[in-house]
């Protein structure tokens, strides 16, 4: 099955700086790579996703890049704000299900 | 107008009891899921139903039994609860299309505490 590794597990950034989270996956058949944000005590919510026919996708301050050859993808958050503090999960699809990374706790310092 | 709802939000019970968690979605999706999120925040899929048919059944103790009476509802029944079952259980739904390549909408979660 799919194995998704996510790094770092925790990330502390100064407000206004950028944050980068990296994930690797094992199954070359995976084609869909979503990122979910989970605020404390809340449900995970999709913030951006990318499919295998695209190398990069951007939505305002967040962007995702995908390298299918190397089997890794990354989330970039620019101009971080306090409301970006949350746990971020990457995921990859495999056999009709999503396999999630272990999560990255992002703390934005004011 | 809640998209995916779960009841109850909190569940505190003793070891050995049997309990159920209910989930409903009003998005018109035909695929629903149960996830378990442990204390380390790891999200692990347990089950998935597509049009009331079980399509994913991960390595889950058979004390856990999902039931889908229709494609808008997916319930989770747990027998003989154990301490290790304490976690947050999330229901989710998505469109189907031959695979989970659509956004999954999560419910608010049910925090289960077994004492």
């Amino acid at each position: 099955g799919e194995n998704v590794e996510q790094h770092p597990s925790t990330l502390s950034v100064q407000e206004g700086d950028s944050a980068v989270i990296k994930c690797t996956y094992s199954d070359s058949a995976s084609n869909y790579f979503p990122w979910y944000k989970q605020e404390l005590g809340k449900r995970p919510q999709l913030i951006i996703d990318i499919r295998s026919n695209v190398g990069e996708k951007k939505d305002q301050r967040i962007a995702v890049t995908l390298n299918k050859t190397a089997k890794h993808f990354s989330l970039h958050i620019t101009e971080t704000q306090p409301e970006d503090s949350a746990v971020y999960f990457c995921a990859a699809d495999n056999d009709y299900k999503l396999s999630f990374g272990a999560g990255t706790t992002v703390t934005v310092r004011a | 107008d809640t998209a995916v709802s779960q009841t109850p939000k909190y569940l505190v019970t003793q070891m050995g009891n049997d309990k159920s968690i209910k989930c409903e979605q009003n998005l018109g999706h035909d695929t629903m899921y149960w996830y378990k999120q442990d204390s380390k925040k790891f999200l692990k899929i347990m089950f998935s139903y597509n049009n009331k048919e079980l399509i994913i059944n991960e390595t889950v103790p058979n004390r856990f039994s999902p039931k889908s009476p229709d494609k808008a509802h997916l319930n989770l029944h747990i027998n003989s609860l154990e301490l290790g079952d304490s976690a947050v259980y999330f229901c989710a739904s998505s469109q189907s299309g031959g695979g989970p390549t659509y956004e999954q909408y999560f419910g608010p979660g049910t925090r289960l505490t077994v004492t």
Side-chain angles (χ1 to χ4, degrees), chain A residues 37-74:
Chain A
K37 175 183 179 183
Q38 186 178 24
E39 297 177 1
L40 189 62
K42 301 285 181 64
R43 72 191 78 192
Q45 291 188 290
L46 181 76
I47 54 171
I48 196 167
D49 56 14
I50 191 167
R51 299 179 192 274
S52 59
N53 57 346
V54 176
E56 184 173 358
K57 185 176 177 181
K58 191 173 180 179
D59 183 3
Q60 299 182 11
R61 295 186 298 106
I62 59 173
V64 59
T65 58
L66 171 65
N67 183 327
K68 281 222 77 177
T69 304
K71 289 190 280 189
H72 65 71
F73 56 113
S74 301

Side-chain angles (χ1 to χ4, degrees), chain A residues 31-32 36 38 40-46 49 51 87 89 93-98 100-102, chain B residues 2 4 33 35 37 40-43 45 55-56 58 90 98-104 106-108:
Chain A
N31 285 309
Y32 176 65
Y36 283 80
Q38 186 178 24
L40 189 62
K42 301 285 181 64
R43 72 191 78 192
Q45 291 188 290
L46 181 76
D49 56 14
R51 299 179 192 274
V87 180
F89 295 94
D93 75 322
N94 174 258
D95 288 338
Y96 302 101
K97 64 179 184 280
L98 287 179
F100 284 84
Chain B
T2 304
V4 183
Y33 312 83
Y35 286 90
Q37 186 171 46
K40 295 183 179 179
K41 300 292 185 185
F42 190 67
L43 265 173
I45 189 162
I55 57 170
I56 294 172
E58 291 293 279
F90 285 100
T101 56
Y102 296 97
E103 177 178 359
Q104 292 190 17
F106 284 79

Side-chain angles (χ1 to χ4, degrees), chain A:
Chain A
E2 178 66 277
N3 181 39
V4 178
E5 294 193 357
Q6 183 172 348
H7 299 281
S9 57
T10 61
L11 182 59
S12 179
V13 296
Q14 190 70 36
E15 183 177 357
D17 287 351
S18 295
V20 180
I21 304 169
K22 298 183 179 182
C23 289
T24 60
Y25 61 98
S26 59
D27 190 340
S28 56
S30 294
N31 285 309
Y32 176 65
F33 307 90
W35 287 87
Y36 283 80
K37 175 183 179 183
Q38 186 178 24
E39 297 177 1
L40 189 62
K42 301 285 181 64
R43 72 191 78 192
Q45 291 188 290
L46 181 76
I47 54 171
I48 196 167
D49 56 14
I50 191 167
R51 299 179 192 274
S52 59
N53 57 346
V54 176
E56 184 173 358
K57 185 176 177 181
K58 191 173 180 179
D59 183 3
Q60 299 182 11
R61 295 186 298 106
I62 59 173
V64 59
T65 58
L66 171 65
N67 183 327
K68 281 222 77 177
T69 304
K71 289 190 280 189
H72 65 71
F73 56 113
S74 301
L75 177 72
H76 304 251
I77 307 172
T78 58
E79 299 172 23
T80 53
Q81 300 169 5
E83 54 263 37
D84 294 329
S85 295
V87 180
Y88 292 81
F89 295 94
C90 63
D93 75 322
N94 174 258
D95 288 338
Y96 302 101
K97 64 179 184 280
L98 287 179
S99 295
F100 284 84
T104 298
T105 301
V106 174
T107 304
V108 180
R109 307 186 307 272

Side-chain angles (χ1 to χ4, degrees), chain B:
Chain B
D1 60 346
T2 304
V4 183
S5 59
Q6 292 179 231
T7 54
K9 190 167 174 62
Y10 299 96
L11 189 50
V12 181
T13 188
Q14 292 185 326
M15 283 172 49
N17 285 347
D18 303 338
K19 291 293 177 185
S20 292
I21 307 171
K22 295 186 176 181
C23 178
E24 177 181 3
Q25 55 93 5
N26 62 5
L27 296 167
H29 292 162
D30 49 14
T31 304
M32 296 185 73
Y33 312 83
W34 277 112
Y35 286 90
K36 179 180 181 181
Q37 186 171 46
D38 60 25
S39 57
K40 295 183 179 179
K41 300 292 185 185
F42 190 67
L43 265 173
K44 182 78 167 65
I45 189 162
M46 301 172 69
F47 303 103
S48 175
Y49 271 76
N50 178 261
N51 278 320
K52 302 193 297 175
E53 182 181 342
L54 181 67
I55 57 170
I56 294 172
N57 185 349
E58 291 293 279
T59 308
V60 177
N62 57 15
R63 299 181 295 104
F64 291 78
S65 53
K67 281 190 173 54
S68 181
D70 56 60
K71 71 176 192 178
H73 295 84
L74 180 61
N75 304 323
L76 183 65
H77 188 76
I78 315 170
N79 289 326
S80 304
L81 278 155
E82 300 177 355
L83 291 176
D85 298 332
S86 295
V88 179
Y89 292 84
F90 285 100
C91 175
S93 73
S94 70
Q95 292 177 270
S96 68
T101 56
Y102 296 97
E103 177 178 359
Q104 292 190 17
Y105 291 79
F106 284 79
T110 295
R111 182 174 293 277
L112 172 65
T113 303
V114 182
T115 61

